[in-house]
Amino acid sequence: MKSVNYNNEIVYPSKIVCIGKNYVEHIEELNDVAAEQPIIFIKPNSAISDELLFNQQDSVDYEAEICFIVRNGQYVGVGFGLDLTKRQVQRELKSAGLPWERAKAFDNSAVFSQFVPFDCTVSNLRLELWINDRLKQHANYDLMLTKPLAIRNEIQSFMSLEDNDVVMT
């Protein structure tokens, strides 16, 4: 079972719950439209990694994410994550009306930083992804279509969040 580091403790998430089309800029980048309700999908524990590991022949896109560790149904830790996607595979599956786990839930498709205790106001959170001294992505609370507490409530309306599960916003 794969692990993440939360407050210098090794923890084992049972799953990663992801929210699709939640950042305004990403929707615009994909030339897409916002969904009427949160798009929720799961990545398995085998998707967890702390480094980029994938077949270099695959065309893989990345999305920077604000991520949370859950305990007792509450967010207790925050970290940075990369949600990796085999975009061409996803397009083919979606156009055929098929599920897209092959494009989103492959091994090592969720890359995480260490998580730190979450003890600030959620509206103060923001992220920046820099590659080779160039700002590639930035996001903050205001750019999220569904805010973190609403995400948690929506997930818990139909699925249990186990201790140490990760939510990717």
Side-chain angles (χ1 to χ4, degrees):
M1 181 165 275
K2 292 192 173 183
S3 63
V4 296
N5 186 315
Y6 166 57
N7 199 24
N8 294 317
E9 173 189 358
I10 302 302
V11 299
Y12 301 90
S14 69
K15 63 187 165 296
I16 305 154
V17 184
C18 307
I19 308 303
K21 295 186 186 181
N22 196 40
Y23 289 95
V24 173
E25 284 189 353
H26 184 59
I27 292 169
E28 291 171 356
E29 173 189 354
L30 294 175
N31 204 19
D32 212 340
V33 296
E36 291 183 23
Q37 63 182 11
I39 298 172
I40 298 173
F41 62 95
I42 304 293
K43 289 184 182 253
N45 176 276
S46 63
I48 295 171
S49 182
D50 60 1
E51 60 183 319
L52 289 171
L53 299 170
F54 58 89
N55 183 336
Q56 296 296 319
Q57 293 156 342
D58 290 329
S59 175
V60 175
D61 288 352
Y62 55 86
E63 301 161 45
E65 308 274 354
I66 296 171
C67 302
F68 296 97
I69 291 280
V70 175
R71 287 197 177 157
N72 297 316
Q74 303 296 316
Y75 296 141
V76 296
V78 64
F80 176 87
L82 285 177
D83 172 16
L84 304 181
T85 305
K86 295 178 182 179
R87 192 68 68 204
Q88 184 57 38
V89 172
Q90 184 184 37
R91 280 188 203 101
E92 291 168 7
L93 292 169
K94 286 171 74 173
S95 70
L98 298 171
W100 27 278
E101 280 83 359
R102 291 178 184 269
K104 294 293 273 182
F106 57 94
D107 289 350
N108 305 307
S109 63
V111 182
F112 296 110
S113 69
Q114 292 187 11
F115 287 80
V116 296
F118 178 67
D119 57 4
C120 66
T121 305
V122 70
S123 61
N124 291 339
L125 294 175
R126 65 183 188 88
L127 67 80
E128 292 181 346
L129 174 62
W130 292 79
I131 299 176
N132 298 327
D133 297 324
R134 292 186 58 215
L135 181 63
K136 294 290 190 172
Q137 285 183 265
H138 66 90
N140 60 34
Y141 179 85
D142 293 331
L143 295 175
M144 289 182 189
L145 297 178
T146 306
K147 308 303 187 205
L149 297 179
I151 289 170
R152 187 194 65 209
N153 292 340
E154 181 69 21
I155 293 167
Q156 291 176 323
S157 75
F158 71 95
M159 175 191 323
S160 297
L161 285 169
E162 305 294 330
D163 283 354
N164 303 315
D165 280 351
V166 175
V167 173
M168 296 185 91
T169 63

